[in-house]
Amino acid sequence: MTAAARDLGAQSDRPRLGLALGGGVARGFAHIGVLRVLEREGFVPDVVAGTSIGAVAGGCYVAGVLDAFEDWARSLNRLKVVGYLDFKLGRSGLLAGERLSAVLRRHLGDRLVEDLSSPFAAVATDLASGREVWIREGPLTDAVRASYALPGVFPPVRFDRRMLVDGGLLNPVPVAPCVAMGAHVVVAVNLTADRGRRTGRDLAALPGAGSVDDLDTATESAGHRGRPRMPRFGGFERRLFQRRRGEPSVVSVMMATMGIVLDRIARIRLAGDAPDVMIAPRIGHIGFADFDRAEELIARGAEAAEAVLPELRSLLAGKREHRPPAEFDPDRPAEPVA
């Protein structure tokens, strides 16, 4: 069954619920808490769209492997996070991304986007044309990888004759795809709305040189205990994470800059594509690379979702008007900015 056929066929008397899961790197673990609360309360999304880490969470949810994604997220610590950093100089990104891809393929398998139980769209950016792309068909793993392929960090993903990169460049919180897929009520999760609570001292979201030394020692110790041993950090990798005289590391500056850009683009897009309900977890104190803080992020996401339940119940009960479905345009460009 094609994606368009499922959109037209999934009609019901109640307003169709759409869920737009925004980008935010490690902060995306908050999506798990949001999904758990919605699931518990019986608010099953009819359509789901995700950008970057939102595409990962949304894809896992629609594919029925959210439990596995949550288990993996909760298992991460600093040592395991470093183990996924497969530096590959000479390619079009700092990281090859193959270790993360292997995790995705292990859980998502060979699933196709068009065969999922509910309409799903992963948002990416066409590197050549600069246009926004909504991936609605093809291998789910590749669609998700394209959506989180942050330029300069991961190489672009070749998908359907296009070179695709992170969708957050154009649409960090993908409300429009939900509407296009037939949603009447859209709940959006914005992971960058809570800003201004970090200071210059907090910019280093990944280990500095001293912490890298500690991780080297830990990997050696793990090897002695019979666990797989990871390679030690070389000079290049060490300089990326190193802090000197209170200055942030290269990686920390990249993460902080990305947060500013995502926040500003999200504000512009949401002004034109406003959701009916906005969920904005209080996670501004957590860095974009704090992958070892899944437990807190999941709890914060659940807390934010609990806060909007009365509003969502009112909307789905028909006490407020809901929007009509929009025309689907998979190549819709970003909204112009005056």
Side-chain angles (χ1 to χ4, degrees):
M1 181 182 294
T2 66
R6 282 187 293 117
D7 292 349
L8 293 173
Q11 302 294 331
S12 66
D13 293 335
R14 68 168 177 81
R16 298 189 72 202
L17 177 62
L19 183 61
L21 301 176
V25 200
R27 291 181 182 179
F29 292 154
H31 290 316
I32 299 172
V34 172
L35 288 164
R36 292 303 189 194
V37 169
L38 295 179
E39 190 176 51
R40 185 197 71 205
E41 297 296 320
F43 296 130
V44 179
D46 296 288
V47 301
V48 178
T51 295
S52 197
I53 186 66
V56 178
C60 289
Y61 173 75
V62 178
V65 294
L66 186 63
D67 288 347
F69 178 55
E70 180 175 354
D71 290 343
W72 175 78
R74 290 183 182 275
S75 75
L76 292 177
N77 53 38
R78 284 287 173 95
L79 181 59
K80 290 183 178 180
V81 170
V82 172
Y84 286 109
L85 302 181
D86 49 356
F87 290 96
K88 191 76 171 180
L89 295 181
R91 296 192 62 178
S92 47
L94 289 175
L95 304 178
E98 295 301 330
R99 295 173 188 171
L100 285 176
S101 295
V103 174
L104 284 174
R105 293 191 188 283
R106 185 166 68 247
H107 295 307
L108 298 180
D110 298 325
R111 291 178 176 86
L112 299 176
V113 176
E114 60 268 31
D115 292 338
L116 296 173
S117 59
S118 301
F120 172 74
V123 178
T125 301
D126 188 322
L127 191 59
S129 68
R131 303 189 73 181
E132 182 178 327
V133 178
W134 301 345
I135 305 176
R136 304 258 349 257
E137 296 181 347
L140 178 58
T141 299
D142 292 342
V144 168
R145 285 179 56 230
S147 188
Y148 73 66
L150 186 66
V153 177
F154 296 107
V157 175
R158 188 176 295 278
F159 196 102
D160 192 25
R161 300 184 302 280
R162 299 178 179 182
M163 295 297 288
L164 302 181
V165 294
D166 199 308
L169 295 176
L170 296 178
N171 197 349
V173 187
V175 174
C178 288
V179 179
M181 289 188 290
H184 303 113
V185 174
V186 178
V187 176
V189 184
N190 186 354
L191 304 176
T192 63
D194 183 27
R195 291 192 56 79
R197 299 172 62 191
R198 293 171 70 85
T199 68
R201 291 183 178 180
D202 301 321
L203 287 178
L206 281 178
S211 296
V212 171
D213 291 336
D214 292 340
L215 287 169
D216 284 341
T217 302
T219 58
E220 291 178 357
S221 176
H224 290 316
R225 293 195 297 270
R227 300 176 185 174
R229 179 175 175 178
M230 298 183 303
R232 293 170 62 90
F233 272 165
F236 171 74
E237 295 92 338
R238 195 175 298 275
R239 285 193 296 273
L240 287 177
F241 299 133
Q242 191 171 22
R243 294 171 294 182
R244 293 183 178 178
R245 298 173 184 172
E247 294 182 358
S249 68
V250 173
V251 171
S252 299
V253 172
M254 290 172 60
M255 291 291 110
T257 302
M258 181 179 63
I260 295 170
V261 172
L262 284 176
D263 177 52
R264 296 306 168 183
I265 296 174
R267 289 172 185 264
I268 293 168
R269 289 304 302 264
L270 291 171
D273 295 324
D276 298 282
V277 177
M278 176 69 80
I279 298 176
R282 299 294 299 274
I283 52 179
H285 62 291
I286 299 177
F288 283 94
D290 286 343
F291 288 96
D292 58 329
R293 299 179 68 174
E295 183 173 354
E296 181 181 358
L297 284 161
I298 293 170
R300 294 276 183 164
E303 180 182 86
E306 294 272 6
V308 304
L309 287 177
E311 183 181 7
L312 183 55
R313 291 192 184 99
S314 177
L315 273 170
L316 293 180
K319 295 179 182 179
R320 284 174 50 186
E321 294 184 359
H322 53 262
R323 68 184 83 201
E327 181 180 355
F328 174 61
D329 179 4
D331 284 327
R332 177 183 178 184
E335 295 290 337
V337 182

